[in-house]
């Protein structure tokens, strides 16, 4: 079956961590709207300037802007045999727009406790190469892969995280019901260790759960 996958989950649920592993295993592109927007911010593009004004407040970038970006991205050749979307769709409007572009075969909801996500986000450290770590499991402030100094994402500061979690509850959590009604939703316990969560996701994708 075609692997047109969507990862749902609160900020800090582990979507990006799992998406890297799963996209490598199945040879499908990992498409993260957050990564696309951050790359645009770094390059100083018009999209980046616009996105920054929302991201810094913990708010969502307007639907029409994101849908245009994703419409173009999903038409690229590497999506021909499937894809893994991380951070998109994030509103019912985005999900409806996605339905017009392509058909989602499986939406995986990575479920976590809200207390845990705050601790995960507070301890997350990023590298310019795209790797992500947590201070509790990786106390060094240098990347294992490329040796660069790790940094904290601007929107991982406490006050912005609170806004992001509120936005998630109000605008993104309703997608769980949206995909459930379509019969393509599966829940995975995101409170387990990273490797255990990966195993669960693989079982779901392979139809063994
Ligand atoms: P985005 O980059 O998508 O951020 P997010 O959804 O808030 O998700 P995160 O990246 O914070 O968390 P994650 O679930 O990927 O967790 P991770 O694997 O890193 O979006 C940022 C912003 O861009 C938005 O706020 C919005 O403004 C804008 N945006 C993006 N998409 C948009 C859209 N579609 N529409 C409109 N606006 C959009 O893990 C977190 C930490 O926990 C890490 O330190 C990790 O090491 C650790 N960890 C992971 N798994 C485990 C585990 N199982 N056990 C213990 N620790 C773990």
């Amino acid at each position: 079956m075609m692997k047109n996958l969507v990862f749902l989950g609160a900020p800090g649920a582990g979507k990006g961590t799992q998406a890297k592993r799963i996209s490598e295993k199945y040879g499908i592109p990992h498409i993260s709207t957050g990564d696309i927007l951050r790359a645009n911010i770094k390059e100083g593009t018009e999209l980046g300037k616009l996105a920054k004004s929302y991201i810094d407040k913990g708010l969502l970038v307007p639907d029409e802007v994101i849908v245009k970006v994703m419409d173009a991205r999903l038409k690229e050749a590497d999506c021909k045999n499937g894809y893994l979307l991380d951070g998109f769709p994030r509103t019912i409007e985005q999900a409806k727009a996605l339905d017009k572009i392509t058909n989602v075969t499986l939406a995986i909801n990575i479920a976590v406790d809200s207390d845990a996500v705050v601790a995960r986000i507070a301890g997350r450290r990023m590298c310019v190469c795209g790797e992500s770590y947590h201070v509790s499991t990786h106390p060094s402030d240098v990347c294992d892969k490329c040796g660069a100094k790790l940094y904290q994402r601007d929107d991982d500061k406490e006050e912005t995280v609170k806004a992001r979690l509120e936005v998630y509850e109000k605008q993104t959590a309703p997608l769980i019901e949206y995909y459930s009604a379509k019969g393509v939703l599966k829940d995975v316990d995101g409170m387990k260790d990273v490797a255990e969560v990966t195993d669960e996701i693989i079982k779901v994708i392979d139809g063994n759960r």
Side-chain angles (χ1 to χ4, degrees), residues 8-20 30 32-35 37-38 41 51 54-63 66-67 70 86-91 94 110 112 116-117 119-126 132-137 153 155-156 160 164-165 167-168 189-197:
L8 299 175
K15 302 181 295 296
T17 303
Q18 296 300 332
K20 275 195 190 72
H30 165 203
S32 155
T33 37
D35 287 350
L37 296 174
R38 281 185 289 276
I41 292 173
Y54 291 92
I55 292 176
D56 284 353
K57 296 189 193 104
L59 302 175
L60 297 184
V61 174
D63 288 338
I66 291 289
V67 167
M70 291 304 282
D86 159 14
F88 178 88
R90 234 179 168 98
T91 63
Q94 291 181 17
I110 305 179
V112 282
V117 292
R120 283 189 189 178
I121 294 176
R124 172 166 52 191
R125 296 295 178 269
M126 306 294 299
S132 149
Y133 300 94
H134 195 274
V135 289
S136 64
T137 49
R153 254 168 60 176
D155 64 341
D156 281 354
T160 319
R164 284 165 60 198
L165 290 171
V167 164
Y168 168 77
D189 180 2
M191 294 305 295
K192 295 183 176 167
D193 287 350
V194 171
E196 287 179 281
V197 179

